[in-house]
Amino acid sequence: MDLQRKLAILADAAKYDASCASSGTEQRDSRDGRGMGSTAPGMGICHSYAPDGRCISLLKILLTNACNYDCLYCVNRASSNVPRARFSIDEVVKLTLDFYRRNYIEGLFLSSGIIRSADYTMEQVVGVARKLREEHHFRGYIHLKTIPEADDGLIAEAGKYADRLSINIEVPEEASLARLAPEKDVRAIRRTMGRLRQKLDDAQEQAKDAAKTAGRTKPQRFAPAGQSTQMIIGADSASDRTILDTSANLYGAYRLKRVYYSAFSPIPDSSRALPPRAPPLLREHRLYQADWLMRFYGFEASEIVDEARGMLALDIDPKLAWALRHRDRFPLDVNRASREDLLRVPGFGAKAVDRIIATRRMTSLRVTDMARLHIARNKALPFIVLSDHRPSPHLLDDARLAERFKPKAAQLGFGF
């Protein structure tokens, strides 16, 4: 099979993995004339978009889509009737360097189906990164998928060469994983996440010690952009509350940089254990918004989702839905409220809150200041008090307040 055909198969096979961001790593470049590539700010490996809206890299590939496992939700499962291909280590290295020279990519996102054994597969994946770094001095971004059962020495070597490592939790509930992916063991996945966290913590401590000795000792490098994971949404009956509880546990226990959510996509010849159609992509979007609230806005997973429903509203964003359920906490005086309370106002982003706090030290905020501070005024005004604005006492009690924020119905066209 020629290289172009392999690339077509293995790039397509990799498109279902959403965890391909390249933020948070160390800064490197090749301006000294030694090596190739960089990790310039704002430049990552996501350069194109799939038809369903996912941001994917132009070189986001599998080493092979052959796999010993028969996970029901995976198009590359052992029983799937799809064309199979496999890159050699040298072929992936050549593609990465050639694509970089053409300015197509800034790095490599490499995963693989499990072939022969976990150790063999991991050795092949690490072999690509090792050759890029040591033989070709490639300084661009590298993200490697980690095989849960792989030897600890291989995991350590992967962290030496990769900027980020990830291992997919797959689905939020252990019972669902046992039913949909019987060869995978959630305990093995979590053990590997724990090993990664320990190595990341050790590297961080060594970096602190090196800083104290003015750089006389060089800290061990281990995946400076941390670790991430992905959950498939809609392949089982897990509620949004369960998904967010799982994410909160992962963030707390393993200090993950990101949890990615990927809406289940129906696959050819799928099992009857899977749903016949995909969940709405808007559900995936709402989960990302809720995840953002947990990571940057001080929300607990238990308060984001309406306990009675167990699911996020699709027609309004999670923060607005929370505010409507807690109208007793509003209106909030913007000129006096704490940062923690301001972060809970609909329409207020974290940067906007910082601008509000900086501005109110010098002057009392008015309605006209909202636009200058880049705040969605129409969303925020019913919930806040300003020097020249106080919402009507009946507004927050009005049952129709939620309707003001929902998208207006629109007549669909015929597309011609």
Side-chain angles (χ1 to χ4, degrees):
M1 187 181 294
D2 64 40
L3 191 59
Q4 186 171 352
R5 176 61 176 153
K6 288 183 182 180
L7 181 59
I9 292 172
L10 295 173
D12 184 70
K15 69 184 180 184
Y16 297 100
D17 201 317
S19 56
C20 55
S22 57
S23 59
T25 190
E26 60 196 1
Q27 299 300 309
R28 301 187 300 274
D29 60 52
S30 50
R31 287 178 293 182
D32 57 6
R34 294 176 294 182
M36 174 188 294
S38 69
T39 53
M43 295 183 181
I45 63 173
C46 300
H47 282 204
S48 61
Y49 291 86
D52 62 2
R54 282 180 173 79
C55 185
I56 59 173
S57 169
L58 197 60
L59 190 57
K60 176 182 172 183
I61 55 175
L62 300 183
L63 190 66
T64 178
N65 65 338
C67 191
N68 299 338
Y69 293 175
D70 202 34
C71 307
L72 299 185
Y73 49 78
C74 182
V75 71
N76 301 312
R77 66 193 185 280
S79 61
S80 182
N81 185 24
V82 295
R84 305 289 180 172
R86 178 181 174 183
F87 283 127
S88 68
I89 290 175
D90 287 339
E91 286 173 331
V92 178
V93 170
K94 181 179 186 303
L95 282 170
T96 303
L97 298 177
D98 287 351
F99 275 35
Y100 182 83
R101 290 188 182 103
R102 291 179 173 87
N103 201 30
Y104 291 165
I105 63 167
E106 288 293 328
L108 172 67
F109 179 95
L110 184 63
S111 184
S112 181
I114 309 298
I115 51 173
R116 298 194 190 178
S117 68
D119 283 349
Y120 176 80
T121 305
M122 194 70 213
E123 170 57 34
Q124 296 293 297
V125 170
V126 171
V128 172
R130 183 194 304 119
K131 195 158 192 172
L132 281 168
R133 295 291 196 217
E134 294 188 349
E135 294 186 23
H136 298 278
H137 307 289
F138 181 68
R139 298 182 182 180
Y141 183 86
I142 296 179
H143 181 153
L144 299 180
K145 279 292 177 181
T146 306
I147 312 301
E149 297 84 0
D151 181 77
D152 195 60
L154 290 170
I155 301 293
E157 193 173 7
K160 176 182 175 182
Y161 301 118
D163 292 279
R164 176 171 287 182
L165 298 175
S166 61
I167 173 172
N168 288 349
I169 198 73
E170 306 292 5
V171 288
E173 295 182 311
E174 184 175 349
S176 295
L177 188 66
R179 180 171 54 88
L180 299 175
E183 294 96 344
K184 292 189 175 178
D185 181 358
V186 69
R187 292 178 181 83
I189 292 172
R190 286 183 173 263
R191 278 198 303 271
T192 304
M193 285 182 170
R195 288 152 61 193
L196 290 177
R197 175 184 170 170
Q198 185 60 55
K199 293 179 187 303
L200 288 164
D201 288 348
D202 290 346
Q204 193 174 50
E205 286 300 316
Q206 289 182 23
K208 289 179 182 178
D209 293 341
K212 292 176 183 177
T213 59
R216 287 194 294 272
T217 58
K218 187 175 181 180
Q220 179 184 0
R221 184 185 190 279
F222 190 86
Q227 65 168 318
S228 61
T229 193
Q230 173 175 300
M231 277 191 281
I232 301 169
I233 306 306
D236 62 0
S237 59
S239 66
D240 291 343
R241 171 65 187 273
T242 299
I243 292 166
L244 291 176
D245 282 343
T246 301
S247 295
N249 175 267
L250 293 171
Y251 282 128
Y254 307 109
R255 294 187 190 171
L256 297 189
K257 289 291 186 179
R258 287 290 302 273
V259 175
Y260 292 86
Y261 307 96
S262 179
F264 167 71
S265 299
I267 55 179
D269 305 318
S270 61
S271 166
R272 291 185 180 180
L274 295 171
R277 60 174 63 93
L281 277 176
L282 191 55
R283 183 186 179 194
E284 179 186 297
H285 178 61
R286 295 299 184 214
L287 284 166
Y288 275 115
Q289 289 177 317
D291 185 275
W292 206 260
L293 294 181
M294 291 193 300
R295 293 166 59 216
F296 300 111
Y297 288 77
F299 282 78
E300 299 290 335
S302 58
E303 58 183 330
I304 296 173
V305 183
D306 185 353
E307 190 172 345
R309 296 181 59 193
M311 300 294 286
L312 296 167
L314 296 181
D315 50 0
I316 55 176
D317 68 79
K319 192 205 280 193
L320 177 58
W322 177 88
L324 291 170
R325 293 196 306 273
H326 297 83
R327 302 184 196 203
D328 57 299
R329 298 183 59 159
F330 301 100
L332 201 68
D333 189 338
V334 172
N335 288 297
R336 296 175 180 272
S338 66
R339 186 176 190 275
E340 291 73 20
D341 286 339
L342 289 173
L343 284 171
R344 292 180 175 245
V345 175
F348 282 16
K351 291 182 179 179
V353 168
D354 290 338
R355 288 194 291 266
I356 286 171
I357 293 173
T359 304
R360 74 185 187 183
R361 293 194 185 106
M362 298 176 287
T363 184
S364 185
L365 288 162
R366 305 169 67 85
V367 172
T368 53
D369 295 319
M370 295 295 101
R372 185 169 56 83
L373 296 173
H374 306 289
I375 290 171
R377 191 169 64 179
N378 291 340
K379 183 181 284 190
L381 286 179
F383 300 94
I384 59 174
V385 172
L386 298 163
S387 297
D388 59 346
H389 166 77
R390 178 176 289 274
S392 165
H394 303 294
L395 181 59
L396 284 171
D397 297 328
D398 191 346
R400 293 174 296 176
L401 179 59
E403 300 299 322
R404 292 181 50 174
F405 301 106
K406 293 181 180 178
K408 292 181 173 60
Q411 175 66 51
L412 297 177
F414 289 102
F416 55 78

